[in-house]
Amino acid sequence: MSEMRRVTAICNGTVVDHIPAGKALQVMQMLRVDVGRSNPISLVMNVPSGKVGRKDVLKIEDRELTQVELDRLALIAPHASVAIIRNYSVAEKREIELGEELVNIARCSFWNCITQNTREPLPHKLRVVGEDPLDVRCAYCGRTQSIDEMANSIL
């Protein structure tokens, strides 16, 4: 049985493939593609994948992801693949890499962290302590940050 195409091709934009199943809505929130934009977005969730079993796919028309957005994406989907589409063809593939330190990606969620002090502005630094499971901590106060907290405090 052949797999039916679930979403049409896009002329220009970004395709994020191999998002862990059920995480596409979090990805949209982290990338801020769900607010104040008029770009069409196609979302397919929980589809079969020979590579990872089940996956989500996100197609964002007329928008190419920046490096900062790729850094955010790495928090939720470090093994996703990103393709930049131009004129209905893959123009380039972008790498997602979860670095050891994330600078100015999200704020520390601890209300008493020094980064919350507006009189002494500091860069927002988060350290990746572990990848599986994901363990991210503030570089200043050491507090563990959850994905939900980071999604709500992106810069």
Side-chain angles (χ1 to χ4, degrees):
M1 180 172 109
S2 67
E3 184 71 22
M4 182 178 72
R5 178 177 274 183
R6 298 175 197 273
V7 179
T8 60
I10 61 175
C11 180
N12 296 300
T14 303
V15 175
V16 183
D17 198 359
H18 299 102
I19 300 168
K23 299 290 185 181
L25 294 175
Q26 253 183 344
V27 167
M28 287 177 61
Q29 184 180 12
M30 286 287 269
L31 298 178
R32 290 185 176 158
V33 295
D34 59 340
V35 201
R37 303 249 196 271
S38 60
N39 305 53
I41 300 167
S42 301
L43 170 64
V44 181
M45 296 181 75
N46 206 27
V47 294
S49 166
K51 186 176 175 183
V52 294
R54 304 292 260 168
K55 68 179 181 178
D56 292 352
V57 180
L58 190 60
K59 292 183 176 186
I60 308 162
E61 292 188 43
D62 299 320
R63 181 157 172 231
E64 295 183 11
L65 296 183
T66 66
Q67 187 59 50
V68 170
E69 291 169 321
L70 293 176
D71 292 344
R72 287 184 198 147
L73 177 61
L75 290 168
I76 299 171
H79 305 294
S81 55
V82 176
I84 303 301
I85 309 298
R86 295 186 191 117
N87 200 22
Y88 294 102
S89 297
V90 176
E92 62 183 279
K93 293 197 176 217
R94 299 222 173 131
E95 296 293 319
I96 298 175
E97 187 175 327
L98 183 60
E100 293 178 12
E101 188 172 76
L102 306 169
V103 180
N104 292 328
I105 298 298
R107 291 181 180 89
C108 176
S109 60
F110 182 45
W111 66 271
N112 202 23
C113 181
I114 192 161
T115 59
Q116 303 294 344
N117 184 342
T118 57
R119 290 175 293 165
E120 297 181 39
L122 292 170
H124 298 276
K125 290 183 186 178
L126 300 174
R127 289 210 171 96
V128 178
V129 179
E131 289 187 30
D132 195 18
L134 184 64
D135 185 2
V136 179
R137 299 178 189 198
C138 176
Y140 302 104
C141 70
R143 181 187 160 123
T144 298
Q145 309 292 303
S146 75
I147 290 292
D148 290 333
E149 289 171 330
M150 287 185 287
N152 292 323
S153 67
I154 58 173
L155 298 170

